[in-house]
Amino acid sequence: MAIFSVFVVNKAGGLIYQLDSYAPRAEAEKTFSYPLDLLLKLHDERVLVAFGQRDGIRVGHAVLAINGVDVSGKYTADGKEVLEYLGNPANYPVSIRFGRPRLTSNEKLMLASMFHSLFAIGSQLSPEQGSSGIEMLETDTFKLHCFQTLTGIKFVVLADPRQAGIDSLLRKIYEIYSDFALKNPFYSLEMPIRYVIPLPRFWSKPPCSPSLCVFPQCHFEV
Amino acid sequence: MSRQANRGTESKKMSSELFTLTYGALVTQLCKDYENDEDVNKQLDKMGYNIGVRLIEDFLARSNVGRCHDFRETADVIAKVAFKMYLGITPSITNWSPAGDEFSLILENNPLVDFVELPDNHSSLIYSNLLCGVLRGALEMIRKLRYTANA
């Protein structure tokens, strides 16, 4: 998928809409016997691999599932505490899935506000008056494109570095925002957008599952 | 009513009579509810303001105008682009104040007032006050200073 994420940030720097559509991340599932030869640590409410990188399991990967049951934070979906469960030899052999941890919605909110502040700093650093602010942030794995409207709303798209046409995509998203969010009289300005959006035609399939979206009430329908 | 995302940029052709009649019904209902012309004017301005704060984004998304450099340019954009886009008319810009910070927009063929005759007992009613509110709301949204485009 060439477009990885879309963020919409309001004037105050709060995230009002977010959509992720990553390609499946590299995940590794392996069966282990007691004792576990990886060192797991609890960090930031997640169980991460601290030591013992091998076979596709890298340091920094989080425990995503145990025996097929998804893990959220430090508890599994059935309410067991992960580190306690893995410390008990009676539970082995156990199949654990590791992978790069996904950002939680709070983290996304924080990152959006941070980007808003960086954007403001960027404009103030400008030697000329009336700078457009940060338009693009480039890394080797993605390019972040940002478009700020005259009213202060920012549309941020993370895309593949080779993807072209993101400028017109940003303008198109602005049009869609002005149509479906603003023309809904029950939508309050600057608030998170919780709305069912008919899928734009230029995406051939729904970009993501609803569980990845920050605002679960907002989902795409074809 | 929602539009398709791949609709393109031409606007739907629609009967302007329905629009004129809807606005007329709105104003007469407000007059019945408030009974006082000043209150009706205030309500129309408030409603116009709420419309304006949303309409400005639609305008900017569709018209692609950049930031105006001075007030005269703003007046031109309002009269020639915005009014044309939404009401299909081009008001004339007159009566510039000596300081260049005030001007008048004269609407010759205002579609809101087609077939309308104000009776004598509503002499202080500003019938098209909604438009004033729209302008106020729209311009306020882009006037606000932000860190980003600050001097």
Side-chain angles (χ1 to χ4, degrees):
Chain A
M1 190 59 22
I3 308 292
F4 300 134
S5 308
V6 177
F7 291 76
V8 180
V9 181
N10 68 10
K11 292 185 234 273
L15 186 63
I16 60 176
Y17 181 76
Q18 202 277 327
L19 184 67
D20 275 334
S21 73
Y22 303 123
R25 294 171 173 228
E27 287 173 359
E29 182 151 17
K30 290 220 154 19
T31 313
F32 297 91
S33 52
Y34 192 80
L36 201 59
D37 54 355
L38 304 163
L39 180 61
L40 297 176
K41 273 213 162 79
L42 186 65
H43 176 70
D44 264 353
E45 290 303 308
R46 283 200 196 99
V47 181
L48 301 181
V49 175
F51 188 78
Q53 183 163 302
R54 60 151 173 139
D55 284 347
I57 302 170
R58 308 177 68 90
V59 171
H61 275 195
V63 173
L64 296 181
I66 296 183
N67 289 333
V69 176
D70 279 336
V71 162
S72 67
K74 54 181 185 172
Y75 294 97
T76 66
D78 356 0
K80 296 192 281 268
E81 206 193 323
V82 172
L83 287 174
E84 207 180 288
Y85 186 82
L86 293 175
N88 185 353
N91 295 321
Y92 285 79
V94 70
S95 160
I96 313 177
R97 179 151 47 101
F98 293 94
R100 203 167 147 236
R102 294 205 159 88
L103 291 174
T104 64
S105 26
N106 271 343
E107 283 170 353
K108 287 176 189 167
L109 279 159
M110 240 180 23
L111 291 172
S113 329
M114 233 182 270
F115 180 74
H116 171 86
S117 314
L118 287 175
F119 190 97
I121 293 172
S123 312
Q124 292 189 5
L125 285 174
S126 163
E128 301 267 330
Q129 198 177 317
S131 159
S132 73
I134 297 177
E135 285 184 342
M136 179 154 68
L137 197 144
E138 193 172 336
T139 74
D140 57 348
T141 47
F142 71 92
K143 262 192 196 162
L144 180 151
H145 302 254
C146 177
F147 167 54
Q148 180 180 54
T149 67
L150 287 179
T151 50
I153 311 268
K154 282 183 261 304
F155 297 93
V156 177
V157 165
L158 269 65
D160 191 280
R162 294 151 297 180
Q163 181 68 39
I166 302 292
D167 278 337
S168 46
L169 174 67
L170 286 168
R171 301 277 179 295
K172 193 73 196 170
I173 295 177
Y174 187 26
E175 260 181 56
I176 295 176
Y177 165 77
S178 78
D179 278 345
F180 292 99
L182 295 186
K183 295 199 178 133
N184 178 5
F186 298 109
Y187 167 68
S188 333
L189 255 50
E190 309 295 295
M191 289 292 119
I193 301 173
R194 298 166 191 275
Y195 194 54
V196 174
I197 304 174
L199 190 72
R201 293 301 157 96
F202 48 83
W203 276 324
S204 55
K205 63 174 173 72
C208 72
S209 72
S211 58
L212 290 179
C213 185
V214 175
F215 304 112
Q217 290 93 320
C218 176
H219 55 280
F220 280 84
E221 62 179 28
V222 180
Chain B
M1 48 190 149
S2 60
R3 292 181 281 189
Q4 300 299 320
N6 59 350
R7 203 174 51 88
T9 49
E10 8 36 271
S11 33
K12 259 189 218 196
K13 294 278 182 271
M14 199 177 299
S15 159
S16 64
E17 264 82 19
L18 182 61
F19 179 56
T20 309
L21 286 174
T22 306
Y23 188 70
L26 178 76
V27 177
T28 45
Q29 190 60 44
L30 281 175
C31 288
K32 283 201 197 97
D33 288 343
Y34 285 97
E35 289 174 27
N36 171 2
D37 286 348
E38 273 316 306
D39 287 340
V40 176
N41 290 340
K42 257 191 243 148
Q43 276 302 111
L44 282 173
D45 185 74
K46 233 194 274 182
M47 287 162 59
Y49 180 82
N50 288 329
I51 294 175
V53 299
R54 292 163 185 258
L55 201 67
I56 181 68
E57 306 263 17
D58 183 74
F59 173 67
L60 290 173
R62 267 164 237 291
S63 70
N64 267 324
V65 293
R67 189 163 278 282
C68 293
H69 295 103
D70 58 20
F71 199 42
R72 284 184 184 261
E73 213 181 311
T74 309
D76 275 340
V77 169
I78 293 174
K80 296 184 185 135
V81 189
F83 267 92
K84 191 94 183 83
M85 195 188 281
Y86 290 109
L87 287 177
I89 56 172
T90 308
S92 43
I93 305 169
T94 58
N95 215 7
W96 277 101
S97 72
D101 59 358
E102 277 179 35
F103 65 92
S104 301
L105 283 168
I106 314 288
L107 284 75
E108 266 100 40
N109 307 313
N110 187 357
L112 293 178
V113 305
D114 281 343
F115 315 121
V116 173
E117 232 181 79
L118 270 189
D120 297 326
N121 57 335
H122 287 295
S123 52
S124 61
L125 177 68
I126 308 174
Y127 188 82
S128 307
N129 208 23
L130 193 93
L131 296 179
C132 302
V134 171
L135 283 172
R136 186 169 69 89
L139 293 174
E140 193 174 307
M141 295 297 273
I142 45 180
R143 176 188 67 92
K144 286 199 177 114
L145 290 176
R146 296 177 301 281
Y147 284 121
T148 53
N150 201 350

